[in-house]
C-alpha cells in the first residue's frame, strides 16, 4: 500500500470527538465522498478495544483506502491496517519499521520547519499545529501558513498540515505546499459527515490538487 499523491484530505477518526461505535460508518461515508487516507486515534481505548475498532473501520472502508493507527505500533502490527502515525514521544520511525516491516506506511509528527526537514525515514510528516485546535492540547505555538510553507519547501517528504483546520482553510494549506490536510472536528460533525467530507474534498481539489 502506498500513499496517494497528493495525499489530499486526511481524516483522523478520533474517538474523543465521535463515539467509537460511530466511527466505522463515518469512515465509509467519507470514503464515498473521496477521502483516501484515514487514521484511527483513540488515546483512551485499551489495546484490545482499539484493535477491534481498527478492524471495524477496515471492514467498513474496504481494502482500498489507506488506514493508519495513531501511536500504537503493537496494534498496527496486528490490525488489518497499512501502518502507523507516530508522535515525537512514541517509538522512533526506524524501530516502528522494524516491527511493521518495510512495506508499512510510517508517518511522524513535527512541530517546526527544521524538524520536518530532519524527519528521516518517514513516508510523510505531519506538521502543526497550523492553527489553534480544541481536539488536542499540545502546549505548542501555532505555526500558521507561513510556517507550513517553510516546512514544505525544506523537505522532499510529503507534508500533512494539521491543527485547527476547517474547510475554509483547506485551500490555503494546499497552496502552501501541503500534500495532505488532516482534519478532525471539521469532518466528524454528527449528521453532516457526508456534507463535510464532500466540501473538504472539493476545497482541496479546487486549490490545485486532486481529492
Amino acid at each position: 500500500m502506498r500513499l496517494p499523491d497528493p495525499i489530499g484530505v486526511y481524516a483522523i477518526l478520533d474517538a474523543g470527538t465521535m463515539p467509537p461505535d460511530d466511527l466505522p460508518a463515518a469512515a465509509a461515508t467519507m470514503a464515498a465522498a473521496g477521502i483516501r487516507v484515514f487514521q484511527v486515534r483513540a488515546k483512551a481505548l485499551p489495546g484490545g478495544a482499539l484493535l477491534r475498532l481498527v478492524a471495524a473501520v477496515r471492514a467498513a472502508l474496504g481494502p482500498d483506502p489507506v488506514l493508519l493507527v495513531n501511536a500504537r505500533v503493537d496494534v498496527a502490527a496486528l490490525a488489518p491496517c497499512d501502518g502507523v502515525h507516530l508522535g515525537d514521544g512514541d517509538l522512533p520511525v526506524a524501530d516502528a519499521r522494524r516491527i511493521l516491516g518495510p512495506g508499512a506506511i510510517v508517518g511522524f509528527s513535527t512541530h517546526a520547519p527544521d524538524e520536518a526537514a530532519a524527519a528521516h525515514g518517514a513516508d510523510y510528516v505531519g506538521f502543526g499545529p497550523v492553527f489553534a485546535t480544541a481536539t488536542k492540547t499540545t502546549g505548542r505555538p501555532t505555526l500558521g501558513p507561513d510556517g507550513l510553507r517553510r516546512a514544505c519547501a525544506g523537505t522532499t517528504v510529503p507534508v500533512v498540515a494539521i491543527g485547527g483546520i476547517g474547510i475554509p482553510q483547506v485551500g490555503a494549506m494546499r497552496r502552501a505546499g501541503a500534500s495532505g490536510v488532516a482534519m478532525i472536528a471539521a469532518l466528524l460533525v454528527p449528521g453532516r459527515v457526508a456534507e463535510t467530507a464532500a466540501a473538504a474534498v472539493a476545497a482541496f481539489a479546487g486549490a490545485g490538487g486532486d481529492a
Side-chain angles (χ1 to χ4, degrees):
M1 176 67 70
R2 291 291 88 194
L3 288 165
D5 181 18
I7 290 170
V9 179
Y10 179 127
I12 297 182
L13 305 171
D14 180 55
T17 302
M18 179 174 280
D21 289 348
D22 295 340
L23 290 175
T29 298
M30 292 181 205
I35 295 177
R36 295 172 291 169
V37 181
F38 296 82
Q39 179 196 132
V40 175
R41 188 171 85 177
K43 297 290 190 182
L45 287 186
L50 178 57
L51 180 60
R52 291 189 291 274
L53 175 58
V54 176
V57 170
R58 173 55 86 197
L61 285 175
D64 292 334
V66 172
L67 179 59
L68 307 174
V69 177
N70 179 272
R72 293 292 300 268
V73 178
D74 55 340
V75 172
L78 297 171
C81 69
D82 303 300
V84 68
H85 181 86
L86 302 169
D88 49 13
D90 299 323
L91 284 179
V93 170
D95 290 339
R97 231 181 250 298
R98 273 200 294 274
I99 293 168
L100 299 178
I105 295 171
V106 180
F108 183 72
S109 290
T110 62
H111 310 288
D114 58 339
E115 290 180 11
H120 301 298
D123 293 291
Y124 72 92
V125 294
F127 181 83
V130 181
F131 305 110
T133 174
T135 58
K136 183 178 181 181
T137 302
T138 66
R140 300 178 187 276
T142 57
L143 300 163
D146 287 343
L148 174 63
R149 191 174 292 108
R150 292 195 302 273
C152 294
T155 181
T156 58
V157 176
V159 174
V160 175
I162 188 169
I165 300 169
I167 292 167
Q169 291 81 43
V170 168
M173 302 298 95
R174 176 63 174 146
R175 289 189 292 272
S179 176
V181 180
M183 304 177 75
I184 305 173
L187 293 176
L188 296 177
V189 181
R192 296 183 56 209
V193 172
E195 175 187 342
T196 58
V201 169
F204 189 91
D210 297 323

